[in-house]
Structures are given as C-alpha cells and as structure tokens.
Amino acid sequence: MSPTPVTFASPTPPTTYTWEATNVEVALRYGVRLDQVVRFDLNTSPAPPNLALEILARGDFDTPLSEYPQSDYRRLVDAAAARYGVEPDELLVGAGADEILDLIGKAFLPSGAVAVVPTPTYAMYRVITEQRGATVAAVPRLGAADGWALDLPATREAVREADVLWLCSPNNPTALAEPPGTVDALLDDLAADAAVEGRTPPVVALDEAYAEFVGRSLVDLRHRYPRLVVVRTASKAYALAGLRVGFAVARPETIAEIAPYRPPGSVATPSVAVVTEALSDPTVLDGNLVRVERERDRLAAGLRDAGWVVGPSVTNFLLADFGTAERAGRTAEGLLRRGLVPRTFAADHSLAAYLRLTVRDTADNDRLVEAAQQIAQGTAP
Ligand SMILES: Cc1ncc(COP(=O)(O)O)c(C=O)c1O
C-alpha cells in the first residue's frame, strides 16, 4: 500500500526560500578570509569563463546596452531550439529556470488550485505553489535504497485532484534520475485517468535543470502528453548561473498559455549573447561534462575514504547521509569553520540528517576532502 499523500493548506504568509549564509557572513562569523570561502551549496559548475569573457569583451550585442533586449530574444530562441531539438515556437525564455517555474505557477495555479510535489525535491515548487495561494500535496518519494524514485501509485492517485504535478529529473537534492520509462508510463496513466473522468489532464512541469549530466531529455514526451512543460537552464552544465537564462519547452499551445505572464525584457542583453553562443558551441558543454564527471568520482571517493556515506549521483552534486541531524549539523559547522559552505536541511526536513555538496574544481574539492578528514580525526582547522 502506498502512503496517503499529505496535503497542506497554503500557509499565510507562504513558505519562503532559505539560503545558506553569504560569503561575507561566513567570513565574519567564522573568522575566515573572504577569498577562502567556497560555495558547495549552489549546484553550480565552476568552469573557465573564456567564452563568456570573450563575448562580453567584444560587446557586439544584438542591441546596444542603452536599449532593451529584443522582445522575442530571437537568436537565443533559435539556438536553444536547435540545441534541444524542438521548434522555435515551442520555447519560452526566462531569467533562469526559476523564472520559468514562476511563470508556470502564474499560468496554471490559480488561488485554490492543488499541486502535487514528490518530496524531497527542489524547494521552489512548494514556495511558488504557496505564493499563488494554491495547495501543496506532498507525496514522499521512495527511499535511498530505491534510488529516491517516484512512488508511482501514490503520485498517480494524488494527481487525480491536482492542477499541476511538479517533477524533477535528475532530482535535486537526491542526485538521481527517474528510472527509464517511469515518467513516460506515469504520463500515460495521467492521460488515461483524465480521459476516464472527463477532465483536462494536469499540467506536468518536468524540471530538467540537470539533464545534460545524464545526456538524455524527456522533451519528446510533449507529443504524447501535450500538457508537459520541460524546464531547462544554462546555469548548471553550461556553467553560466550568473547570467540567469532558462527555458520552457512545450507544445506551442501550452507555450501560448504561459507566454502572457512573461515580463518584458527580464533576460539581460549580455546574457542573451553569451548563452546563444554557448548553446551553439557544444565543445564548451562537452568539456564541462567530462570535468564534472571526473571530479564527481574523485570527490565521492575522497569523502567516502574520510568515512562519509555518499550516495550515487548522476549530477554535479553529492548527497551525504550522516545518520542524524545532530551529526549533519556538526559536520556542517566543521566545514563552515574552514570556509566551506554545504547545503543543509532544516530540522523538520526529511533530509535533516544529510548535507548536499556541489562538485567543484580540483583545488576546491581537495579542500573539502581534507576538511572531511580533519573533522573525522577531530583536528582543528
Ligand atoms: C531543480 C532546479 N531547478 C531550477 C533551479 C534554478 O535554476 P536557474 O539558475 O536556471 O534559475 C535549480 C537551481 O539549483 C534547481 O536545482
């Protein structure tokens, strides 16, 4: 028997996103030099910024910086369409995947609506749902031993009452993708249930922020399930988080439902120029993927040698299990004293006993492994 999903009334005020301490806060609180603070909490990919710097130095943008960006971001849309294998009218540009998620909320979650969130997952699905005055139905995923996969029967059941299903594959923070065929089967079931009950199938927002790391996307499922919206970003595998560029990919009629909520010119002209080039030049992406995979294996092995229980990962981050929230908290504190910022989870979170760590470059990862060894041996920083 699958557990019954937990439905929460939307609180007032809604749940907010919480950040780890800023670099300056860490430096002041722990007495470390500001340039020694390293962020392992944000799932970014440090990479040589050569391409971006060259384009910014050239400054040959589509429009002068004194003007607004072109309203249709045409060259960026064409580059993204070619990269993702879709038509330009199946794409919408936003200021990062986060703006796209927000637009999905605005388009499909009126006050009083219900959104299903398989947990644990990216915190913004709950935040956005509650900001719309809609209700979250949280469906626990299967556990670590089952690869944190979706509980398919429970998810399917919960979605009967829902307007939106938020999916994330590979999933943040569990670092694994849904097993092949799972999302396909779920979408078929949702379409069949809706047909039997004579209602419109729910919108399925499938966040593929980390898709490049597994080398496959489920974007083709939009033909089978027209209410599918796939979310992509330049922040992770393209290593361009600071530029804030993300995309919705969906059938034209679904894009047309989201587009009215798009603000004018939220993506800056330099961001448009750099991401257009990055999407068109696969060597940048390929280099990052090779580097992340190599460093991920090295970092995971080093942390395991230091006694950490690190789960498998197909992404650019690792999830480590410390058994108790108290031990996770002590380890986080030990890392912070050394200027290393992990992603922590609140005491009432199902992952309170875990820390999430970004795979960074060799030097940063070596510092993390050394810190893990020192903490295990009780050596002071
Ligand atoms: C699953 C997921 N979706 C979206 C985002 C936000 O991406 P962006 O930088 O494109 O807004 C993140 C960032 O951590 C994420 O983990």
Side-chain angles (χ1 to χ4, degrees), residues 39-55:
R39 305 220 63 99
F40 282 92
D41 59 327
L42 294 172
N43 292 356
T44 47
S45 306
N50 301 347
L51 176 77
L53 294 185
E54 278 164 29
I55 295 165

Side-chain angles (χ1 to χ4, degrees), residues 51-52 54-56 58 60 75-76 79-80 83 238 240 270-285:
L51 176 77
E54 278 164 29
I55 295 165
L56 295 176
R58 278 206 310 272
D60 54 352
R75 277 190 342 108
L76 176 59
R83 162 78 15 196
Y238 287 93
L240 293 170
S271 302
V272 172
V274 175
V275 175
T276 301
E277 290 282 326
L279 288 167
S280 312
D281 177 0
T283 53
V284 176
L285 174 67

Side-chain angles (χ1 to χ4, degrees), residues 93-345:
V93 178
D98 279 339
E99 185 174 73
I100 298 295
L101 299 174
D102 197 53
L103 297 180
I104 292 171
K106 286 177 173 153
F108 301 116
L109 286 172
S111 176
V114 174
V116 172
V117 181
T119 56
T121 193
Y122 184 45
M124 283 308 290
Y125 311 139
R126 170 182 293 277
V127 170
I128 288 167
T129 301
E130 292 181 357
Q131 284 175 348
R132 308 312 314 157
T135 298
V136 170
V139 180
R141 290 169 169 272
L142 304 180
D146 294 302
W148 303 103
L150 291 173
D151 180 336
L152 286 174
T155 306
R156 179 179 179 179
E157 189 53 36
V159 172
R160 279 176 191 273
E161 308 292 327
D163 303 274
V164 168
L165 167 62
W166 296 105
L167 293 182
C168 186
S169 182
N171 185 44
N172 171 14
T174 54
L176 293 172
E178 293 309 323
T182 312
V183 175
D184 318 39
L186 177 63
L187 295 185
D188 286 347
D189 289 342
L190 301 189
D193 291 344
V196 167
E197 291 161 20
R199 56 182 166 79
T200 313
V203 166
V204 176
L206 172 60
D207 188 340
E208 289 193 333
Y210 302 94
E212 289 86 356
F213 295 112
V214 287
R216 63 171 189 273
S217 165
L218 296 179
V219 75
D220 284 348
L221 289 179
R222 73 196 186 286
H223 298 301
R224 235 154 97 181
Y225 193 90
R227 308 260 290 159
L228 177 68
V229 185
V230 175
V231 182
R232 304 293 298 259
T233 180
S235 294
K236 307 301 184 180
Y238 287 93
L240 293 170
L243 294 181
R244 313 304 302 124
V245 178
F247 304 93
V249 186
R251 293 261 289 249
E253 61 271 27
T254 306
I255 291 289
E257 286 187 77
I258 306 171
Y261 297 90
R262 181 167 77 88
S266 64
V267 183
T269 299
S271 302
V272 172
V274 175
V275 175
T276 301
E277 290 282 326
L279 288 167
S280 312
D281 177 0
T283 53
V284 176
L285 174 67
D286 294 347
N288 288 346
L289 295 179
V290 169
R291 191 188 48 75
V292 167
E293 192 173 332
R294 187 190 60 225
E295 280 301 316
R296 180 179 66 214
D297 295 347
R298 222 176 56 79
L299 178 61
L303 294 174
R304 287 184 188 121
D305 282 349
W308 286 24
V309 178
V310 177
S313 168
V314 297
T315 63
N316 62 335
F317 57 91
L318 301 173
L319 189 65
D321 182 359
F322 293 89
T324 65
E326 199 268 329
R327 234 190 112 215
R330 259 192 295 122
T331 306
E333 197 60 19
L335 294 174
L336 285 163
R337 263 191 266 124
R338 292 163 172 86
L340 311 178
V341 188
R343 186 55 160 155
T344 58
F345 300 95

